[in-house]
Amino acid sequence: MTAPSHEMWPRSKATKTGPGDLPAPVKKEDLTLDPDMAHPQLEISKDGKEVRCGSFTKNVSSSPRRFDTANCVVAHQSFSAGQHYWEVSVGRKPRWNLGVVSDRAERRGRLIQTKSWLPWSDDLFCTEGYWLIGYNKQKAGKPYWAFDTNPMPFDCSSHPETIGVYLDYTDGEVTFYNADDPGNLTPLYSFYNADFRSAPVYPVFDPCWHDNGGNEQPLKIM
């Protein structure tokens, strides 16, 4: 694997699906996680770059902006204009979700739910104001999903360990990349015409539950 790069993005060999040309170069964002917004069971590293699910629920201050049910945390940084890019190491975690969330979106209650009482149902819906992709190893044949208000599976045979997230706030685009090779980004999934409704959006990270130690690996901001 090519060594990580902090140069301007996208690199010359990057490819992108959908309408239009490659976006103009964008410097990779230096993000840090906001512990005051984190679900009480999450553990965040001192440098604010890693988050994992712990084994117990901490006693934390209550806030309508803190996640209380979805195992999520947002970055300190928010965006309300321009183009932005960041990378997240997901490693070999068996479950994770990440993307962006509107400042107007609800953070209390469950994030992703099923319309059916059947626990294996794919009839899912997501809280409005989120644009995410996720991986769940237990969903045989369809482990990768894109989540907005109408979740759907998508094909991904490469099983990337580093995910790049590109946000074009002005054009309402959120595109996710396989960033294992920083010199040759390959697109995984794009949301176009996302309606941010003039509200700031935050990078959001969901390491999912620790599953009795089976999913304790962290998400890492690169």
Side-chain angles (χ1 to χ4, degrees):
M1 182 183 299
T2 306
S5 171
H6 297 286
E7 297 176 355
M8 302 294 281
W9 181 91
R11 286 75 175 187
S12 58
K13 295 181 181 179
T15 58
K16 177 170 172 286
T17 58
D21 299 322
L22 280 171
V26 179
K27 186 177 181 179
K28 188 163 68 173
E29 300 289 343
D30 183 16
L31 302 179
T32 54
L33 301 169
D34 186 349
D36 291 339
M37 302 296 109
H39 183 280
Q41 201 161 331
L42 293 183
E43 298 176 354
I44 296 173
S45 62
K46 291 184 179 180
D47 64 1
K49 296 291 187 179
E50 299 184 18
V51 57
R52 71 174 75 235
C53 181
S55 57
F56 66 94
T57 301
K58 299 186 292 293
N59 184 16
V60 297
S61 60
S62 178
S63 164
R65 307 308 295 151
R66 184 189 290 276
F67 293 94
D68 69 338
T69 305
N71 214 22
C72 296
V73 61
V74 295
H76 282 286
Q77 297 77 12
S78 65
F79 308 113
S80 55
Q83 295 80 40
H84 307 273
Y85 178 76
W86 59 95
E87 292 177 350
V88 184
S89 171
V90 299
R92 306 301 288 181
K93 280 178 66 64
R95 289 203 296 153
W96 52 265
N97 302 296
L98 58 89
V100 300
V101 56
S102 169
D103 188 47
R104 297 183 179 181
E106 180 60 60
R107 298 185 185 180
R108 315 290 281 182
R110 295 188 63 184
L111 170 59
I112 300 167
Q113 303 183 53
T114 178
K115 298 176 184 178
S116 170
W117 62 271
L118 296 172
W120 56 85
S121 171
D122 289 340
D123 193 12
L124 301 173
F125 69 96
C126 181
T127 301
E128 185 176 2
Y130 290 80
W131 296 268
L132 314 170
I133 64 167
Y135 174 76
N136 186 343
K137 186 178 180 180
Q138 295 179 352
K139 285 185 172 292
K142 294 189 292 185
Y144 287 92
W145 282 71
F147 297 97
D148 56 3
T149 51
N150 296 297
M152 63 182 64
F154 66 92
D155 294 330
C156 180
S157 59
S158 56
H159 199 67
E161 296 189 20
T162 303
I163 304 295
V165 186
Y166 170 74
L167 166 69
D168 186 330
Y169 187 97
T170 304
D171 286 349
E173 176 188 344
V174 185
T175 293
F176 299 87
Y177 288 86
N178 177 343
D180 283 348
D181 179 356
N184 186 27
L185 303 178
T186 53
L188 301 174
Y189 192 89
S190 293
F191 295 102
Y192 293 109
N193 302 315
D195 186 2
F196 300 133
R197 301 183 181 180
S198 300
V201 296
Y202 290 81
V204 61
F205 308 83
D206 177 6
C208 298
W209 304 107
H210 61 79
D211 296 341
N212 294 319
N215 189 36
E216 64 181 357
Q217 305 94 321
L219 293 176
K220 301 179 183 180
I221 299 173
M222 305 297 286

